[in-house]
Amino acid sequence: MIKTPTITRSELIETLVEKQPHLAHRDVELAVKAVLERMGNAFEEGDRIEIRGFGSFSLHYRPARVGRNPKTGESVSVEDKFSPHFKPGKELKERVDSVNS
């Protein structure tokens, strides 16, 4: 299995501060937190989030079903739920494809 690098919220903030030295660290931190908070609120309200050139976030409905406990093989009832879904935009797909070429 290939291990993929992960960027954390604090690493994102540090990167933005480095690229935008005229902005105070605290201001960048507050902006990132505000964006993530707004996205979370949008999901709670059932809204779709679209960031042009990057992609869109939406909720997908998962109906109730009968699953299996992987340890015991016993049948387990799984309730219906919504799960977040990300669909990359055209520009992001092209950027990713150019890295893998």
Side-chain angles (χ1 to χ4, degrees):
M1 185 166 108
I2 298 172
K3 183 177 180 186
T4 57
T6 301
I7 184 166
T8 64
R9 181 181 5 196
S10 59
E11 290 170 336
L12 173 62
I13 292 167
E14 292 303 322
T15 300
L16 292 172
V17 168
E18 288 172 13
K19 290 187 181 239
Q20 304 295 325
H22 61 284
L23 296 174
H25 186 279
R26 182 73 180 141
D27 292 340
V28 173
E29 184 178 5
L30 289 171
V32 169
K33 286 182 179 181
V35 168
L36 295 176
E37 180 70 22
R38 179 61 189 110
M39 291 175 77
N41 291 342
F43 273 147
E44 286 177 2
E45 297 165 10
D47 294 339
R48 182 176 176 271
I49 303 163
E50 183 176 330
I51 302 171
R52 302 272 171 163
F54 185 72
S56 61
F57 299 84
S58 59
L59 294 175
H60 279 200
Y61 177 71
R62 307 277 184 226
R65 63 184 174 83
V66 175
R68 298 243 176 248
N69 179 329
K71 223 175 195 180
T72 64
E74 179 183 343
S75 292
V76 179
S77 177
V78 179
E79 295 182 8
D80 62 334
K81 62 183 176 180
F82 285 92
S83 67
H85 175 75
F86 174 71
K87 181 179 178 186
K90 181 180 175 186
E91 290 177 38
L92 181 59
K93 282 185 201 175
E94 290 170 355
R95 289 176 66 183
V96 170
D97 286 344
S98 70
V99 170
N100 293 327
S101 303

